[in-house]
C-alpha cells in the first residue's frame, strides 16, 4: 500500500507567505503557544489535501482574517506517494486542486503539469481529486448503499482517522465530517472508514461489491434491451405475416428451399421463352391455376371464419365495455348524490335506513362482529372513489383488448382483400384461357411463371429481413447470457470475499485490541484493559466502566497511533501518516501528555518510512524529542509572515 | 382494512343495487313525473321505472315498439329483465321512501292499502340545483321520453301501469 508523506507546506499570497522547512524526519514537531499559528499549519495542510476549512471561508464566523483577506493566495503542498513526488496547488476559496508530477531526472519536463481536478463530485461519473489520490494510494473508491442512496467514500472521509484535529470533545474518536449530514456521518460510513483503513480483503470486497452493482445494472439493461427488441421484431414480423415465432435455423431452411424453388422456376421460364407449349402442357398449366384457385378459395373460407370469430368476440367485448361504462356513470352519480344528501353511512340501519348508534365492533343487532368482516351495506366516499378507479382500470383493459381485436381484424381484412382479388384473377384467367391462340397461351404461361417468381422473391425478401432480425435477437441474447454469467461469477467472488473479509476483520480487530491495550495501559495507570467494540470500533476502557475525563485525550490519540503502528507491521491500506494538531486542547496534565507522546518512540518501521506531524505547546513533549522540533512559532513570530514589500 | 378486504368489498359492489343509485333515480322520477304540488301514486311503480330510465337501451325499445309487440328476442329479454329487477327492488324502495320522509325530502300519504304509499316530493328541502345537475342529464332525458310515451304515469294504478309498460309490448307480466 502506498504511503503518503508531506514533504513541505507553503502558502503564498499578496500580503502573507509561509514556507515550512523540509519535513523529512519520521516525527516533525511544531511547537508554540496558542494563537501562534499551529492550527493554521494544519488547516493549510488539510485545505491543500482538499479538506473544508471553515476559517478560510469569508462567510465564516471564525475566519482567519489574514488569509481570507489576502489576495491571489494559494497553498502549495509537496507530497510524495510511495516515494513518488507531487505538488498540489489549491487557491484559497477555490474547489479545484492542480496536481504537478515532478519528474526528477528529466531536465526539460521538470514540474510537468498533470491535471486540475475538482474536489466535489457534481455527477456520478465525474473524476475528482479524491479518485486520483485514492488510486495512487491503491485504495478503490468504495460505494456505500444506504437507504436507497449510494455514497462514495472519498479521501476526505478516510482522513477522519488520519488527521487528529484539535477537538474539544475527543470522545467521538473520528474527526468530524466536513459536511455533516445524516448520510455522510452515519455509523455505516464511520464503520466503513475503519474497515477500509485496516482491511485489505475488505477493500477487495468493497471493490467487488461495486463491480457487482455495476454488473447487475448492466444485466437489467441487457435484459430490457433484449425484451424491447424482441417485442419490436415481433411487431414487424406480424406485419410481414409471420404469425408465430420462428428461430433463425428454421428461417434459414425456409430461405434455402425458397431459393431452390426460385432457381427452378427461373430455369423453367427461360425454357418456356424459347419453346412453345404443347396442348398437353397447356392443360397442365391450366391445372396449376385450378389447383391454385382451389387452395385460395379454401384459404378465403378459413379467413372468413376467423374474421367471423373476431367479430363475435368484439361484440362481446363491446357489451362488456358498455356495461362498465354504465357502471362508471352510475358511480359518479352515486358519489354526487352521496356528497349532496349524505343519507347513508356504515351506521345506517339496513332495515329502516335511518341512523343507528352502533357500538364499534358490534352489529346493529348488538352481536359482536369483527369490524373488518362486517359486511356493511354502504360505502364511504373514498371507497366509492376506489371502486371507480378500479372499474376505470378494467374499462381501459377491456378497451385495449377491443382495440387489439380491431387491429387484427384490419390486418386480416387486408389479407382477405388481396386473396379475393387473386381468386377473381385466377377465375378470369381460367375462363378465358380456352379461347386463347398459341402465342397468347405461351404469354400466359410465362406470365404464370413470372407471377410465381415475384411471389417467391417477395417471400425471400421477407424471410431475409426476418433472419437478420432473428440474428440480432440472438446477439442480444448472447449479450444477456454473458452478462448473467458475469454477474453470477462476481456474486460468487463477493460471497467468497465476504467471508474472508469477515475473518480478516476479526483478526485485525484482535490485533488492534492488542496494540491499543498495550499503549493505553502504559499511559494510564488506572486503565486495566482497553479494546474496541467489534461493531462500532469505538474504544471500551475497563469494560465500559471507565469514565475518567482526563483519559479522553490518550484514548483518541492512541487510537490513531494504534492504526499507524498496525500499518507498519501489517499490509493494510492505512497510508502511514498521522497528523496531530495540539491534542492537549481537550485537557490533560503535562505528565500524562508527555507519557502519551513517549509512545511514539516505540513506533518503528522496518520496511518503509512513516510520518507523524505533531503540534504541541512549548516544551510539552519528552525532552528526547527535542531534535524533532522543526518549527517554533511564537506570538511575536507567527506562522504567517508579512511578505516583503517589493519596491515598485 | 387490509387490501384483500378492500378488493372483496369492491367486487361486492353492484351499481344497480346501491342505495344512492336508487335514491337519485327515485328523486329524478318524482321530479319529472309530478307537478309542483302533484302526488305520485303508488310507490311500487317506481321500482320498475328506475330500471327503465336508468338504461337508455330500454327506453329505445319502448320507443321503437310503441303500439306493437316486441318481436326481437334480445329486446324482449331486456324489457322482461326490468320487470324482474323491479319486482326485486320493490321492498327497498319502500324502505327508501320512509327514510326520505324522515329526512323531510318527501311527504307520504298512505292509500287505502297501508302497504301502498303515495308520495309528494318536497323539492324545497333538497339542495338547490341538485336535481337538475348535469350528471343526471341522461336519466332526466329518459324520464321525459317515458313521460311522453306513457301518459299520466304518476296517477296510473299499478295494474294499469304494468299493462301499459309490459303487456302492451307483448311481455307476459302480472301485477303482484
Amino acid at each position: 500500500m502506498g504511503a503518503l508523506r508531506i514533504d513541505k507546506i507553503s502558502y503564498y499570497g499578496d500580503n502573507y507567505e509561509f514556507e515550512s522547512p523540509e519535513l523529512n524526519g519520521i516525527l516533525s514537531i511544531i511547537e508554540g503557544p496558542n494563537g501562534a499559528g499551529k492550527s493554521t499549519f494544519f488547516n493549510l495542510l488539510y485545505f491543500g489535501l482538499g479538506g473544508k476549512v471553515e476559517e478560510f471561508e469569508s462567510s465564516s464566523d471564525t475566519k482567519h482574517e489574514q488569509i481570507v483577506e489576502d489576495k491571489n493566495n494559494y497553498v502549495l503542498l509537496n507530497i510524495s506517494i510511495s516515494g513518488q513526488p507531487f505538488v498540489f496547488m489549491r487557491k484559497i476559496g477555490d474547489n479545484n486542486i492542480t496536481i504537478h508530477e515532478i519528474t526528477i531526472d528529466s531536465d526539460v519536463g521538470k514540474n510537468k503539469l498533470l491535471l486540475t481536478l475538482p474536489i466535489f463530485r457534481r455527477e456520478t461519473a465525474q473524476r475528482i481529486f479524491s479518485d486520483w489520490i485514492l488510486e495512487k494510494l491503491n485504495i478503490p473508491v468504495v460505494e456505500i448503499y444506504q437507504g436507497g442512496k449510494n455514497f462514495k467514500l472519498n479521501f476526505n472521509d478516510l482522513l477522519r482517522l488520519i488527521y487528529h484535529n484539535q477537538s474539544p470533545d475527543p470522545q467521538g474518536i473520528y474527526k468530524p465530517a466536513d459536511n455533516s449530514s445524516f448520510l455522510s456521518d452515519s455509523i455505516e460510513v464511520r464503520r466503513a472508514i475503519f474497515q477500509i483503513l485496516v482491511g485489505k480483503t475488505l477493500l477487495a470486497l468493497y471493490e467487488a461489491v461495486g463491480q457487482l452493482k455495476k454488473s447487475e445494472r448492466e444485466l437489467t439493461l441487457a435484459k430490457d434491451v433484449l425484451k424491447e427488441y424482441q417485442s419490436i421484431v415481433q411487431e414487424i414480423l406480424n406485419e410481414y405475416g409471420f404469425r408465430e415465432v420462428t428461430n433463425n435455423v428454421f428461417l434459414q431452411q425456409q430461405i434455402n428451399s425458397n431459393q431452390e424453388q426460385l432457381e427452378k422456376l427461373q430455369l423453367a421460364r427461360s425454357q418456356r421463352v424459347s419453346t412453345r407449349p404443347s396442348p398437353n402442357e397447356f392443360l397442365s398449366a391450366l391445372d396449376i391455376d385450378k389447383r391454385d384457385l382451389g387452395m385460395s378459395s379454401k384459404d378465403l373460407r378459413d379467413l372468413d371464419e376467423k374474421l367471423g370469430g373476431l367479430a363475435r368476440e368484439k361484440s362481446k367485448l363491446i357489451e362488456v365495455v358498455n356495461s362498465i361504462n354504465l357502471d362508471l356513470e352510475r358511480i359518479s352519480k352515486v358519489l354526487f348524490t352521496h356528497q349532496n344528501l349524505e343519507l347513508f353511512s356504515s351506521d345506517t340501519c339496513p332495515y329502516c335506513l335511518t341512523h343507528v348508534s352502533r357500538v364499534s365492533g358490534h352489529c346493529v343487532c348488538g352481536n359482536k362482529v369483527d369490524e373488518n368482516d362486517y359486511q356493511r351495506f354502504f360505502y364511504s366516499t373514498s371507497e366509492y372513489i376506489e371502486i371507480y378507479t378500479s372499474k376505470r382500470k378494467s374499462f381501459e383493459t377491456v378497451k385495449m383488448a377491443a382495440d387489439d381485436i380491431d387491429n387484427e381484424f384490419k390486418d386480416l381484412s387486408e389479407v382477405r382483400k388481396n386473396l379475393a382479388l387473386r381468386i377473381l384473377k385466377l377465375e378470369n384467367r381460367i375462363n378465358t384461357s380456352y379461347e386463347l391462340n398459341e402465342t397468347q397461351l405461351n404469354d400466359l404461361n410465362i406470365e404464370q411463371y413470372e407471377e410465381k417468381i415475384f411471389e417467391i422473391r417477395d417471400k425471400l425478401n421477407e424471410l431475409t429481413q426476418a433472419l437478420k432480425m432473428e440474428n440480432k435477437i440472438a446477439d442480444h441474447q448472447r449479450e444477456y447470457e454473458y452478462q448473467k454469467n458475469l454477474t453470477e461469477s462476481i456474486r460468487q467472488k463477493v460471497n467468497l470475499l465476504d467471508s474472508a473479509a469477515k475473518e480478516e476483520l476479526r483478526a485485525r480487530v484482535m490485533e488492534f485490541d492488542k496494540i491499543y491495550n498495550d499503549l493505553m495501559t502504559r499511559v494510564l495507570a488506572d486503565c486495566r484493559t482497553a479494546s474496541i467494540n467489534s461493531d462500532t470500533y469505538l474504544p471500551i476502557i475497563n469494560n465500559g466502566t471507565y469514565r475518567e475525563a482526563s483519559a479522553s485525550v490518550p484514548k483518541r490519540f492512541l487510537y490513531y497511533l494504534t492504526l499507524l503502528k498496525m500499518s507498519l507491521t501489517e499490509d493494510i491500506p492505512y497510508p502511514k501518516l498521522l497528523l496531530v494538531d495540539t491534542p492537549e486542547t481537550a485537557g490533560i496534565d503535562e505528565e500524562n501528555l508527555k507519557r502519551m507522546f513517549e509512545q511514539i518512540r516505540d513506533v518503528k518501521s522496518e520496511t518503509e518510512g512513516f510520518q507523524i506531524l505533531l503540534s504541541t505547546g512549548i516544551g510539552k513533549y519528552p525532552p528526547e524529542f527535542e531534535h524533532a522540533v522543526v518549527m517554533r512559532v511564537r506570538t511575536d513570530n507567527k506562522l504567517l509572515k508579512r511578505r516583503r514589500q517589493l519596491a515598485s | 382494512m387490509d387490501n384483500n378486504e378492500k378488493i372483496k368489498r369492491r367486487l361486492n359492489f353492484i351499481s344497480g343495487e346501491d342505495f344512492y343509485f336508487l335514491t337519485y333515480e327515485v328523486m329524478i322520477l318524482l321530479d319529472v313525473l309530478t307537478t309542483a304540488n302533484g302526488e305520485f301514486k303508488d310507490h311500487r311503480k317506481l321500482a320498475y321505472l328506475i330500471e327503465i330510465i336508468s338504461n337508455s337501451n330500454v327506453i329505445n325499445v319502448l320507443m321503437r315498439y310503441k303500439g306493437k309487440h316486441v318481436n326481437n328476442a334480445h329486446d324482449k329479454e331486456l324489457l322482461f329483465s326490468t320487470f324482474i329487477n323491479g319486482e326485486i327492488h320493490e321492498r327497498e324502495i319502500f324502505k327508501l321512501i320512509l327514510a326520505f320522509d324522515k329526512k323531510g325530502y318527501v311527504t307520504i300519504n298512505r292509500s287505502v292499502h297501508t302497504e301502498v304509499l303515495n308520495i309528494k316530493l318536497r323539492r324545497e328541502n333538497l339542495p338547490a340545483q341538485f336535481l337538475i345537475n348535469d350528471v343526471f342529464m341522461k336519466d332526466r332525458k329518459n324520464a321525459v321520453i317515458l313521460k311522453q310515451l306513457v301518459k299520466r304515469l304518476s296517477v296510473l294504478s299499478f295494474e294499469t301501469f304494468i299493462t301499459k309498460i309490459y303487456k302492451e309490448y307483448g311481455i307476459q307480466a302480472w301485477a303482484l
Side-chain angles (χ1 to χ4, degrees), chain B residues 29-43:
Chain B
L29 280 165
L30 291 177
D31 188 38
V32 174
L33 300 180
T34 63
T35 52
N37 250 329
E39 203 179 42
F40 187 91
K41 289 204 160 56
D42 203 332
H43 74 278

Side-chain angles (χ1 to χ4, degrees), chain A residues 230-464:
Chain A
Q230 272 173 336
S231 80
I232 291 173
V233 166
Q234 196 53 49
E235 229 165 80
I236 297 174
L237 290 185
N238 269 343
E239 260 169 45
Y240 280 161
F242 294 89
R243 294 276 158 224
E244 273 138 34
V245 175
T246 318
N247 70 22
N248 42 10
V249 178
F250 279 80
L251 281 173
Q252 191 61 56
Q253 273 174 9
Q254 285 183 30
I255 288 177
N256 291 346
S257 77
N258 274 292
Q259 198 79 46
E260 266 171 45
Q261 213 183 339
L262 183 66
E263 277 160 24
K264 272 186 202 155
L265 278 169
Q266 277 167 334
L267 188 71
R269 192 194 65 154
S270 56
Q271 279 170 355
R272 178 55 62 231
V273 174
S274 50
T275 59
R276 298 262 154 110
S278 66
N280 201 18
E281 275 171 327
F282 160 65
L283 271 183
S284 67
L286 205 58
D287 268 352
I288 294 176
D289 272 3
K290 279 181 180 166
R291 232 185 355 258
D292 206 350
L293 179 64
M295 259 152 60
S296 296
S297 304
K298 186 186 172 293
D299 284 351
L300 189 67
R301 277 198 303 280
D302 289 350
L303 211 55
D304 279 342
E305 206 167 291
K306 211 167 178 182
L307 282 169
L310 280 178
R312 278 191 296 280
E313 207 178 319
K314 171 88 194 288
S315 78
K316 266 186 213 147
L317 274 179
I318 285 178
E319 242 170 71
V320 177
V321 168
N322 286 341
S323 114
I324 298 179
N325 210 6
L326 187 67
D327 267 355
L328 284 172
E329 275 176 21
R330 280 182 186 172
I331 296 166
S332 47
K333 286 183 265 191
V334 159
L335 252 174
F336 178 74
T337 313
H338 178 42
Q339 279 157 359
N340 271 279
L341 303 182
E342 282 185 29
L343 281 166
F344 318 111
S345 72
S346 60
D347 292 332
T348 300
C349 169
Y351 302 106
C352 66
L353 298 185
T354 45
H355 185 82
V356 61
S357 40
R358 184 175 66 87
V359 185
S360 173
H362 292 73
C363 176
V364 279
C365 67
N367 280 326
K368 265 198 178 166
V369 66
D370 185 344
E371 195 72 10
N372 286 343
D373 292 339
Y374 184 48
Q375 274 300 312
R376 292 173 299 165
F377 291 79
F378 310 102
Y379 297 82
S380 68
T381 304
S382 68
E383 280 167 333
Y384 277 127
I385 290 173
E386 226 167 73
I387 293 167
Y388 185 88
T389 347
S390 96
K391 289 255 179 205
R392 180 84 223 167
K393 248 184 228 158
S394 31
F395 176 78
E396 262 145 34
T397 316
V398 178
K399 190 95 196 338
M400 224 146 74
D403 287 349
D404 280 352
I405 290 184
D406 262 355
N407 283 335
E408 200 179 344
F409 195 88
K410 229 195 268 162
D411 286 354
L412 287 180
S413 301
E414 190 62 26
V415 176
R416 191 196 181 281
K417 202 174 100 193
N418 289 335
L419 200 60
L421 271 176
R422 185 172 166 71
I423 289 173
L424 200 67
K425 199 172 164 197
L426 281 169
E427 279 171 348
N428 267 336
R429 201 154 69 186
I430 293 168
N431 284 340
T432 51
S433 54
Y434 294 101
E435 300 150 19
L436 299 176
N437 64 28
E438 201 190 7
T439 325
Q440 282 169 324
L441 256 179
N442 200 26
D443 286 351
L444 173 70
N445 210 229
I446 290 171
E447 192 188 317
Q448 273 180 331
Y449 278 120
E450 266 166 5
E451 224 169 71
K452 204 77 196 163
I453 287 172
F454 269 126
E455 205 177 288
I456 288 181
R457 273 201 185 131
D458 269 1
K459 185 81 192 157
L460 261 175
N461 260 339
E462 283 169 10
L463 284 168
T464 320

Side-chain angles (χ1 to χ4, degrees), chain B residues 35-90:
Chain B
T35 52
N37 250 329
E39 203 179 42
F40 187 91
K41 289 204 160 56
D42 203 332
H43 74 278
R44 288 175 295 173
K45 291 182 291 182
L46 287 170
Y48 304 87
L49 287 169
I50 288 169
E51 296 297 319
I52 294 164
I53 66 156
S54 66
N55 189 342
S56 300
N57 291 341
V58 180
I59 289 289
N60 282 339
V61 169
L62 291 181
M63 271 163 71
R64 261 186 292 138
Y65 295 99
K66 176 70 186 160
K68 299 181 275 203
H69 280 194
V70 177
N71 58 13
N72 168 317
H74 184 266
D75 294 342
K76 249 185 206 166
E77 194 187 319
L78 187 66
L79 193 53
F80 191 66
S81 72
T82 68
F83 176 66
I84 308 275
N85 287 335
E87 207 258 311
I88 290 169
H89 287 146
E90 241 182 61

